[in-house]
Amino acid sequence: MSTEYLHQDSIAANDYMVADFQAYSAWRSHLTQQIAQLQRWLAEQDLNDAQTDLRIKALTEKLREDKLNIAFVAEFSRGKSELINAIFFAHYGQRILPSSAGRTTMCPTELLYDADKVPSIQLLPIETRAGNVTTQEYRRYQDEWKTIELDLDSPEALLEAFREIGATCRVSVDTAKQYGLFDENDPDQAVTVDQEGKVEIPCWRHAVINFPHPLLEQGLVILDTPGLNAIGTEPELTLNLLPNAHAILFILAADTGVTKSDIDVWRNHIARSQGNRRGRLVVLNKIDGLWDPLKTEAQVQAEIDKQIRTTSELLNVTPQQVFPVSAQKALVAKVQDDDALLVKSQLSRLERALSDDLLPGKQDIVRDATQGEVEDIVLAIRSILNTRQEGVNEQLAELTGLRGKNQDVILQMMDKVQEDKKHFEQGLVRFQALRSVFSQQTNKLYSLLGKDALKNEITRIRTQMERSMFSFGEGGLRNTMDRFFLDVNASITKSAEQVAEIQAMMAAMYKKFSEEHGLGQVTPPPFSTLKYHKELARLERSFREHFNTVGNILTTSQGRLTRKFFETIASRVIYVFDVANRDVENWLKAVMAPMETQVREHQLQLRRRLESIKRIHKATDTLEDRIKELNEFSAQLQDQLHSIDAQLRGIYATLNSEIRDFAQAQAA
């Protein structure tokens, strides 16, 4: 890469990234406004119903709450906090996150922005590790956290507040074991015990920083993860936070290269995690350690290139995924407005990658989810309008045929409509019977996904774990957990079979109503349980990897960690069932809603037909006046169809626009 290109690329690179995030946020906001406008139009046209309102509300809330999660992962002394300072906080003119030799980030830390809360740092005490409650569960109890409000006008006060995140304390070995932070069988930990039999541990289990940074305000969430030790002792990182990150920046030190612990973190916690593979970036930090005034720039760059090749081979990534930087020099360069040093630090290429690779990938995810939901909603509305149009056309054909006819013919026509109404009401009896069967099938489906039985099983396993330490023998924890995963997967499988039964029943009813009453043929929407099986498989894989790590017999400290690991797995399984229940509820509504809508519309059309003929028969309205009204109503329906198509085209235009193109169009 030429120096000239690097210089051009470094000009306001952070501003470039902020601009891209702002453009993405504006794109998402505009999309949300368009969908909200669609909802208002549906209400004005009397085309909405409770189900449609709920779907649109859920969609707009999802768009408003959309976040881009980036995890920074590294062993200690790799310069991770310095990199975050260089990318996000250089404009403060000094380091905000503490960064010095040794361990500075002692607990997992999230940086985000919530406008409803004051700028602050929330800290979860390390003492909460004494129990088996997950960090996610503690988020519901704000009184358990220590809150430090931030003084945004004082960089010194900010730095002092941020230092608290890395606070440590000394506790007895027994206490450290209780928290799962000391393993007596680890020789590296044994040497950390002082003469009083105490060890140093972090004061805090988890930190959440609410900070009004321009990127955080646009929905960026940064997860700062302190290496293998924290990942290993806080299972929630392995099972939840890292797998859900849209991007992971794995930071290495250029002067030491890839160490064994680096490889362990990469292989066990990053390379296997689900998500966008483009979002796995490797940062080769501290390249300034390779700068040598006795070597030419070309020789130094050749050495950096060699480290890039070695790193890509050891981690099995492409060289393009490896970004050599000097975070410390980049921070200094930004603070001192030193363009030449910023170029030499090579940080700008990484900042570009964060914008160029990650945002389009995130936009694709949002685009696909939004488009499918909007299309389903519009399809349902079109179906209503088309049904109404067919009813109008049928009435027009009937009334036009009455021109020049006598009263006897009108009476015959009225008798025919009444007969059609009677026939349809007989069909409604079958529809009500279907509703009853549908309700029974629904209850059966919910029982298969019932959380009470699941929680009882989790309680049973928890009780067994409390009573004794398990070996891997017959009846041991491994077999217990194997049975647990078999049972929960079986529940999901049986749920899929029940879904298929409901789907077949509804398809048959739709077909029957279509043939007997001319209702539109609708195929019940599909429902897949694959994502639940995949998440359960991931959790089971993590469980097996955990036991492969701790060995065949659990020590006391390993047993405590295993219980924490189980609690995190259990909470994730409950979460899977929570999601499955919500998805099933929405699917059941989507299955029944078209039938209910068509039945309601058909009833309405029959009443209108009968009313029209009665009015003409009683001479309270002329035939031509009624035909004119129907023609006007038909024109109104056509206008509504054109209007909803125009709104859909507008939403499509926004969905399919690239972020920067959208920003330029908005600016123009």
PDB file of all heavy atoms in Angstrom, residues 599-612:
ATOM      1  N   VAL A 599     -63.605 -14.187   5.638  1.00  0.00           N
ATOM      2  CA  VAL A 599     -64.966 -14.466   6.109  1.00  0.00           C
ATOM      3  C   VAL A 599     -65.689 -13.159   6.421  1.00  0.00           C
ATOM      4  O   VAL A 599     -66.849 -12.952   6.026  1.00  0.00           O
ATOM      5  CB  VAL A 599     -64.920 -15.379   7.355  1.00  0.00           C
ATOM      6  CG1 VAL A 599     -66.282 -15.407   8.054  1.00  0.00           C
ATOM      7  CG2 VAL A 599     -64.500 -16.788   6.962  1.00  0.00           C
ATOM      8  N   ARG A 600     -64.997 -12.247   7.111  1.00  0.00           N
ATOM      9  CA  ARG A 600     -65.591 -10.958   7.449  1.00  0.00           C
ATOM     10  C   ARG A 600     -65.939 -10.158   6.199  1.00  0.00           C
ATOM     11  O   ARG A 600     -67.030  -9.576   6.088  1.00  0.00           O
ATOM     12  CB  ARG A 600     -64.608 -10.174   8.319  1.00  0.00           C
ATOM     13  CG  ARG A 600     -65.181  -8.886   8.892  1.00  0.00           C
ATOM     14  CD  ARG A 600     -64.261  -8.276   9.926  1.00  0.00           C
ATOM     15  NE  ARG A 600     -62.936  -7.995   9.406  1.00  0.00           N
ATOM     16  CZ  ARG A 600     -61.831  -8.645   9.763  1.00  0.00           C
ATOM     17  NH1 ARG A 600     -61.906  -9.639  10.641  1.00  0.00           N
ATOM     18  NH2 ARG A 600     -60.656  -8.321   9.260  1.00  0.00           N
ATOM     19  N   GLU A 601     -65.038 -10.133   5.233  1.00  0.00           N
ATOM     20  CA  GLU A 601     -65.287  -9.393   3.995  1.00  0.00           C
ATOM     21  C   GLU A 601     -66.431 -10.014   3.190  1.00  0.00           C
ATOM     22  O   GLU A 601     -67.246  -9.301   2.600  1.00  0.00           O
ATOM     23  CB  GLU A 601     -64.009  -9.346   3.147  1.00  0.00           C
ATOM     24  CG  GLU A 601     -62.940  -8.406   3.656  1.00  0.00           C
ATOM     25  CD  GLU A 601     -63.372  -6.950   3.584  1.00  0.00           C
ATOM     26  OE1 GLU A 601     -64.064  -6.573   2.612  1.00  0.00           O
ATOM     27  OE2 GLU A 601     -63.040  -6.181   4.504  1.00  0.00           O
ATOM     28  N   HIS A 602     -66.490 -11.370   3.157  1.00  0.00           N
ATOM     29  CA  HIS A 602     -67.555 -12.033   2.396  1.00  0.00           C
ATOM     30  C   HIS A 602     -68.919 -11.758   3.019  1.00  0.00           C
ATOM     31  O   HIS A 602     -69.898 -11.499   2.304  1.00  0.00           O
ATOM     32  CB  HIS A 602     -67.293 -13.538   2.357  1.00  0.00           C
ATOM     33  CG  HIS A 602     -68.066 -14.248   1.281  1.00  0.00           C
ATOM     34  ND1 HIS A 602     -67.781 -14.101  -0.056  1.00  0.00           N
ATOM     35  CD2 HIS A 602     -69.136 -15.087   1.353  1.00  0.00           C
ATOM     36  CE1 HIS A 602     -68.625 -14.840  -0.770  1.00  0.00           C
ATOM     37  NE2 HIS A 602     -69.465 -15.444   0.073  1.00  0.00           N
ATOM     38  N   GLN A 603     -68.966 -11.771   4.341  1.00  0.00           N
ATOM     39  CA  GLN A 603     -70.217 -11.429   5.023  1.00  0.00           C
ATOM     40  C   GLN A 603     -70.640 -10.002   4.679  1.00  0.00           C
ATOM     41  O   GLN A 603     -71.818  -9.734   4.417  1.00  0.00           O
ATOM     42  CB  GLN A 603     -70.038 -11.556   6.541  1.00  0.00           C
ATOM     43  CG  GLN A 603     -70.077 -12.972   7.068  1.00  0.00           C
ATOM     44  CD  GLN A 603     -69.941 -12.997   8.574  1.00  0.00           C
ATOM     45  OE1 GLN A 603     -68.974 -12.470   9.125  1.00  0.00           O
ATOM     46  NE2 GLN A 603     -70.910 -13.602   9.252  1.00  0.00           N
ATOM     47  N   LEU A 604     -69.686  -9.105   4.689  1.00  0.00           N
ATOM     48  CA  LEU A 604     -69.965  -7.701   4.382  1.00  0.00           C
ATOM     49  C   LEU A 604     -70.494  -7.545   2.962  1.00  0.00           C
ATOM     50  O   LEU A 604     -71.468  -6.810   2.719  1.00  0.00           O
ATOM     51  CB  LEU A 604     -68.685  -6.879   4.569  1.00  0.00           C
ATOM     52  CG  LEU A 604     -68.793  -5.369   4.331  1.00  0.00           C
ATOM     53  CD1 LEU A 604     -69.780  -4.737   5.307  1.00  0.00           C
ATOM     54  CD2 LEU A 604     -67.423  -4.709   4.470  1.00  0.00           C
ATOM     55  N   GLN A 605     -69.877  -8.248   2.017  1.00  0.00           N
ATOM     56  CA  GLN A 605     -70.319  -8.151   0.623  1.00  0.00           C
ATOM     57  C   GLN A 605     -71.735  -8.699   0.444  1.00  0.00           C
ATOM     58  O   GLN A 605     -72.542  -8.130  -0.307  1.00  0.00           O
ATOM     59  CB  GLN A 605     -69.346  -8.909  -0.300  1.00  0.00           C
ATOM     60  CG  GLN A 605     -67.939  -8.345  -0.348  1.00  0.00           C
ATOM     61  CD  GLN A 605     -67.901  -6.907  -0.831  1.00  0.00           C
ATOM     62  OE1 GLN A 605     -68.770  -6.467  -1.581  1.00  0.00           O
ATOM     63  NE2 GLN A 605     -66.894  -6.164  -0.360  1.00  0.00           N
ATOM     64  N   LEU A 606     -72.055  -9.810   1.122  1.00  0.00           N
ATOM     65  CA  LEU A 606     -73.406 -10.370   1.028  1.00  0.00           C
ATOM     66  C   LEU A 606     -74.446  -9.396   1.577  1.00  0.00           C
ATOM     67  O   LEU A 606     -75.527  -9.227   0.990  1.00  0.00           O
ATOM     68  CB  LEU A 606     -73.472 -11.701   1.786  1.00  0.00           C
ATOM     69  CG  LEU A 606     -72.807 -12.905   1.110  1.00  0.00           C
ATOM     70  CD1 LEU A 606     -72.734 -14.092   2.065  1.00  0.00           C
ATOM     71  CD2 LEU A 606     -73.568 -13.301  -0.157  1.00  0.00           C
ATOM     72  N   ARG A 607     -74.132  -8.764   2.709  1.00  0.00           N
ATOM     73  CA  ARG A 607     -75.065  -7.785   3.273  1.00  0.00           C
ATOM     74  C   ARG A 607     -75.262  -6.611   2.319  1.00  0.00           C
ATOM     75  O   ARG A 607     -76.376  -6.111   2.149  1.00  0.00           O
ATOM     76  CB  ARG A 607     -74.543  -7.291   4.628  1.00  0.00           C
ATOM     77  CG  ARG A 607     -74.735  -8.273   5.768  1.00  0.00           C
ATOM     78  CD  ARG A 607     -74.673  -7.572   7.122  1.00  0.00           C
ATOM     79  NE  ARG A 607     -73.404  -6.897   7.333  1.00  0.00           N
ATOM     80  CZ  ARG A 607     -72.345  -7.473   7.894  1.00  0.00           C
ATOM     81  NH1 ARG A 607     -72.416  -8.736   8.289  1.00  0.00           N
ATOM     82  NH2 ARG A 607     -71.227  -6.795   8.058  1.00  0.00           N
ATOM     83  N   ARG A 608     -74.165  -6.156   1.710  1.00  0.00           N
ATOM     84  CA  ARG A 608     -74.269  -5.036   0.777  1.00  0.00           C
ATOM     85  C   ARG A 608     -75.105  -5.408  -0.447  1.00  0.00           C
ATOM     86  O   ARG A 608     -75.923  -4.600  -0.926  1.00  0.00           O
ATOM     87  CB  ARG A 608     -72.871  -4.593   0.339  1.00  0.00           C
ATOM     88  CG  ARG A 608     -72.121  -3.795   1.411  1.00  0.00           C
ATOM     89  CD  ARG A 608     -70.696  -3.519   0.982  1.00  0.00           C
ATOM     90  NE  ARG A 608     -70.002  -2.670   1.947  1.00  0.00           N
ATOM     91  CZ  ARG A 608     -68.682  -2.458   1.937  1.00  0.00           C
ATOM     92  NH1 ARG A 608     -67.923  -3.073   1.019  1.00  0.00           N
ATOM     93  NH2 ARG A 608     -68.136  -1.669   2.832  1.00  0.00           N
ATOM     94  N   ARG A 609     -74.911  -6.616  -0.970  1.00  0.00           N
ATOM     95  CA  ARG A 609     -75.698  -7.055  -2.136  1.00  0.00           C
ATOM     96  C   ARG A 609     -77.187  -7.094  -1.797  1.00  0.00           C
ATOM     97  O   ARG A 609     -78.034  -6.606  -2.551  1.00  0.00           O
ATOM     98  CB  ARG A 609     -75.240  -8.439  -2.591  1.00  0.00           C
ATOM     99  CG  ARG A 609     -73.901  -8.448  -3.326  1.00  0.00           C
ATOM    100  CD  ARG A 609     -73.422  -9.861  -3.559  1.00  0.00           C
ATOM    101  NE  ARG A 609     -74.361 -10.635  -4.357  1.00  0.00           N
ATOM    102  CZ  ARG A 609     -74.342 -11.969  -4.466  1.00  0.00           C
ATOM    103  NH1 ARG A 609     -73.445 -12.665  -3.792  1.00  0.00           N
ATOM    104  NH2 ARG A 609     -75.218 -12.586  -5.228  1.00  0.00           N
ATOM    105  N   LEU A 610     -77.486  -7.677  -0.641  1.00  0.00           N
ATOM    106  CA  LEU A 610     -78.887  -7.810  -0.245  1.00  0.00           C
ATOM    107  C   LEU A 610     -79.505  -6.441   0.001  1.00  0.00           C
ATOM    108  O   LEU A 610     -80.647  -6.172  -0.422  1.00  0.00           O
ATOM    109  CB  LEU A 610     -78.971  -8.677   1.022  1.00  0.00           C
ATOM    110  CG  LEU A 610     -80.369  -9.114   1.462  1.00  0.00           C
ATOM    111  CD1 LEU A 610     -81.074  -9.888   0.357  1.00  0.00           C
ATOM    112  CD2 LEU A 610     -80.280  -9.955   2.735  1.00  0.00           C
ATOM    113  N   GLU A 611     -78.755  -5.559   0.649  1.00  0.00           N
ATOM    114  CA  GLU A 611     -79.256  -4.215   0.932  1.00  0.00           C
ATOM    115  C   GLU A 611     -79.527  -3.451  -0.356  1.00  0.00           C
ATOM    116  O   GLU A 611     -80.538  -2.740  -0.488  1.00  0.00           O
ATOM    117  CB  GLU A 611     -78.249  -3.464   1.809  1.00  0.00           C
ATOM    118  CG  GLU A 611     -78.670  -2.059   2.196  1.00  0.00           C
ATOM    119  CD  GLU A 611     -79.935  -2.026   3.037  1.00  0.00           C
ATOM    120  OE1 GLU A 611     -80.216  -3.029   3.740  1.00  0.00           O
ATOM    121  OE2 GLU A 611     -80.644  -1.004   3.004  1.00  0.00           O
ATOM    122  N   SER A 612     -78.631  -3.575  -1.340  1.00  0.00           N
ATOM    123  CA  SER A 612     -78.813  -2.877  -2.619  1.00  0.00           C
ATOM    124  C   SER A 612     -80.103  -3.299  -3.300  1.00  0.00           C
ATOM    125  O   SER A 612     -80.897  -2.461  -3.766  1.00  0.00           O
ATOM    126  CB  SER A 612     -77.629  -3.161  -3.544  1.00  0.00           C
ATOM    127  OG  SER A 612     -76.460  -2.559  -3.058  1.00  0.00           O
TER     128      SER A 612
END
